[in-house]
């Protein structure tokens, strides 16, 4: 790891990100026991804990000095938002000028997949149960026998033989 690196640690279902200042400190969002999350400079160990520290690589990025200046310009700010301005957004912005979060993108894509499953099953008239599964949801569809019976009854009532081969 080097001065200006975007560093992160895995913490179960999410990762926590910050900027390595190269002097044993890191600038990142901290959550005090009381109050709101804010950008602060802390000992590197506070970010790392017992976890393995990783470095995010970028194809194009600003210099380490500019990265540190960007991070220091946000010290004390408290505009954290899980989906729009989290610690990963902050660290990516410091390094590239673009606030992006790969983990939020993964969560949203998982949610879109669950929504698509829900809409598709709903359009077929299926009964659903939504189950939590990691960051996304899984739609479980109950057999659609009742809908098929209803369709058969409707066709017969309208004078259309739903199963001409069965006669």
């Amino acid at each position: 790891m080097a001065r200006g690196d975007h560093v992160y640690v895995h913490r179960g279902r999410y990762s926590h990100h910050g900027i390595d200042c190269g002097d044993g400190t890191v600038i990142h969002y901290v959550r005090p026991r009381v109050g709101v999350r804010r950008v602060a400079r802390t000992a590197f160990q506070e970010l790392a804990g017992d976890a393995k520290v990783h470095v995010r690589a970028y194809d194009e990025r600003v210099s380490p000095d500019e990265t540190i200046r960007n991070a220091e310009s946000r010290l004390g700010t408290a505009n954290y938002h899980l989906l729009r301005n989290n610690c990963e957004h902050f660290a990516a912005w410091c390094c590239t000028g673009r606030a992006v979060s790969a983990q939020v993108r993964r969560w949203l894509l998982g949610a879109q997949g669950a929504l698509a499953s829900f809409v598709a099953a709903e359009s077929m008239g299926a009964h659903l149960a939504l189950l939590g599964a990691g960051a996304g949801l899984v739609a479980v569809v109950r057999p659609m026998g009742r809908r098929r019976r209803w369709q058969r009854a409707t066709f017969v009532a309208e004078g259309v033989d739903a199963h001409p081969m069965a006669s």
Side-chain angles (χ1 to χ4, degrees):
M1 286 168 277
R3 176 178 161 78
D5 277 349
H6 173 164
V7 295
Y8 65 97
V9 295
H10 293 291
R11 293 199 175 148
R13 294 182 183 222
Y14 70 97
S15 55
H16 183 60
H17 301 252
I19 299 298
D20 184 349
C21 296
D23 61 357
T25 64
V26 63
I27 299 175
H28 60 120
Y29 268 104
V30 297
R31 180 175 38 188
R33 293 181 192 265
V34 178
V36 297
R37 288 185 172 119
R38 61 182 170 70
V39 177
R41 185 178 213 142
T42 67
F44 195 87
Q45 193 59 33
E46 186 172 323
L47 175 120
D50 294 331
K52 179 180 178 185
V53 179
H54 304 272
V55 175
R56 167 84 41 95
Y58 291 99
D59 291 333
E60 295 181 24
R61 58 167 293 158
V62 300
S63 71
D65 288 336
E66 188 172 348
T67 299
I68 299 295
R69 278 194 303 274
N70 287 342
E72 288 174 337
S73 76
R74 295 283 177 96
L75 284 171
T77 60
N79 56 348
Y80 180 90
H81 187 279
L82 179 63
L83 300 178
R84 292 189 309 259
N85 191 37
N86 64 34
C87 58
E88 185 176 14
H89 288 106
F90 166 74
W93 174 81
C94 291
C95 294
T96 66
R98 293 181 53 233
V100 294
S101 171
Q103 64 187 332
V104 167
R105 189 177 14 238
R106 281 191 305 272
W107 294 335
L108 292 176
L109 289 175
Q112 286 175 350
L115 179 60
S117 297
F118 176 80
V119 170
E122 187 67 24
S123 70
M124 293 186 295
H127 299 279
L128 303 176
L130 294 178
L131 307 173
L137 298 173
V138 177
V140 180
V141 180
R142 203 172 79 179
M144 298 187 317
R146 200 176 310 157
R147 180 179 166 92
R148 289 192 185 106
R149 283 193 299 274
W150 173 83
Q151 283 176 332
R152 222 178 356 256
T154 302
F155 289 136
V156 172
E158 292 175 356
V160 177
D161 189 357
H163 297 282
M165 300 303 280
S167 306

